[in-house]
Amino acid sequence: MHHFHYENDELFCENVSLAALAEEAGTPAYVYSKATLTRHFKAFDGAFEGLPHLTCFSVKANSNLAVLRLFASLGGGVDIVSGGELYRALKAGVPAERIVFSGVGKTREEMRAALEAGILMFNVESAQELEALNTVAGEMGRKAPISLRINPDVDPKTHPYISTGLKKNKFGISFETAMDVYRHAAELPNLEVIGVDCHIGSQLTEVSPFVAAVDRLKKLLESLKAGGFKIKYLDVGGGLGITYQTEEPPEPDEYAKALRDALNGIGLTLILEPGRVIVGNAGILLARVTYTKSGEEKDFVITDGGMNDLMRPCLYGSYHGVQPVRKTGRPGARVDIVGPICESSDFLAKDRDLPGFVAGDLLAVMSAGAYGFTMSSNYNTRRRAVEILVDGDGYEIVRERETYEDLIRGEHIPASLK
Ligand code: LLP
């Protein structure tokens, strides 16, 4: 359920007219609904009520400070994968003890910053990373709290670019070698082994792969217990999917019930790293039609939003719904919605039967709240879009549209060329 809806044939976000918003803030614009963000966070987090747990929102899905602050205010933590995300999370006011740090390539500098901040734990992904973290912690006179990210080798049945828990993926430590790596970790003086972690992929539309992964981890937990390890946390990653088109992913309640059943009173604090399921359908990309054009084989609607604003269609062939901001009753047409970028992969939607758009019309690219702005770029020297948070009758710009000065900041013409 989200709060984008029509009133008298006009698309609104909560009580704010998107047409009015576009007039005031310009396009392209990312528009997020605070009520939807709140509702989704609570529905997810609430599904685990009664079970010791921490919902660590995955910052890569949507890293705006306002969004992070909102979830922190609702009791959430965050899952980060870089020093930049750590910096953001702390700036947004997320308490360090609610931050987990994942990722295969943490640098020593990033480790130092996270230890300095006092994060909850590092999800370590390789034996070499373990050594590096032990060294950095030793230099700082600290003990680094760690879990190992285990690759459980289960098929998440999702897009190959976003499945992470298969043997052929670069992520985690293999199930077979996990015990050895745990034993090694226990011998390193500056590490404290406190958890087991996995993340098998994104946009999962069934619960069975999650359950299969947890079943494998339970076996490892038994061995760890027998080996005298004091494990406190089980981090099951993120990955719950959303409806972009016709997918029917499990509701958070169903997902939580499956995990509860699989864990069966295991007595650990559960860490969850949802991203998409919380923010995906809470945001849209608002764009304006610049031109329309009839090609020999296809008709195009050219908008001021492009692949640099929303990469998912060009990168994964992802489907995003497209809706007119004003329903006009004009006859429909089969069109490609494309951007202004000099690449044929610059499309937001392909072969869609949509109401006839004309230049100047506004359209909403739906389900763009996750991996939308965060994956956007300055390709073609385009300014990244404004981000807006709607709250009831009002809204706030939570990230200004970039300026041309922003785009050349830090660049220099060498003296020899002056
Ligand atoms: N935890 C870890 C360690 C992750 O790598 C990810 C996502 C998550 C949690 C959150 O997963 P979610 O709940 O959002 O599925 N750019 C792609 C998605 C990449 C996901 C990467 N990892 C897309 O636009 O579909």
Side-chain angles (χ1 to χ4, degrees), residues 28 304-311 314 339-347 373 375-385 402 404 407 411:
D304 59 6
M307 68 185 260
N308 76 298
D309 298 301
L310 181 64
M311 280 258 277
C314 87
I341 293 205
C342 304
E343 299 236 10
S344 292
S345 60
D346 180 22
F347 62 90
F373 185 87
M375 290 175 73
S376 66
S377 80
N378 295 121
Y379 189 37
N380 279 203
T381 304
R382 280 169 49 81
R383 298 171 295 167
R384 277 181 297 170
E402 283 174 332
Y404 289 136
L407 297 185
E411 289 185 36

Side-chain angles (χ1 to χ4, degrees), residues 44 56-61 79-81 102-103 123 125 149 159 161-162 164 171 197-204 235-241 244 272-279 311-312 315-316 318 320 370-372 374-375:
F44 187 93
C56 290
F57 172 68
S58 195
V59 173
K60 63 176 83 66
D79 159 52
I80 58 164
V81 291
S102 307
N123 290 332
E125 302 219 15
R149 175 164 173 184
H159 191 288
Y161 285 12
I162 53 176
T164 46
F171 297 96
D197 167 52
C198 78
H199 169 78
I200 57 173
S202 198
Q203 182 55 12
L204 272 70
D235 184 338
V236 295
L240 190 58
Y244 284 99
L272 303 138
E273 301 174 355
R276 189 188 321 261
V277 67
I278 296 184
V279 293
M311 280 258 277
R312 302 193 70 258
L315 191 57
Y316 315 113
S318 308
H320 284 261
Y371 307 106
T374 53
M375 290 175 73

Side-chain angles (χ1 to χ4, degrees), residues 102-118:
S102 307
V104 292
K106 302 173 197 81
T107 64
R108 286 163 176 76
E109 188 193 348
E110 289 173 326
M111 290 171 174
R112 218 166 280 126
L115 281 166
E116 194 61 55

Side-chain angles (χ1 to χ4, degrees), residues 20 31 52 92 110 155 164 184 208 215 257 264 320 323 332 335 369 400:
V31 184
E110 289 173 326
D155 186 355
T164 46
H184 181 52
S208 54
D215 282 343
K257 181 174 183 313
N264 191 19
H320 284 261
Q323 295 188 8
V335 294
E400 287 162 29

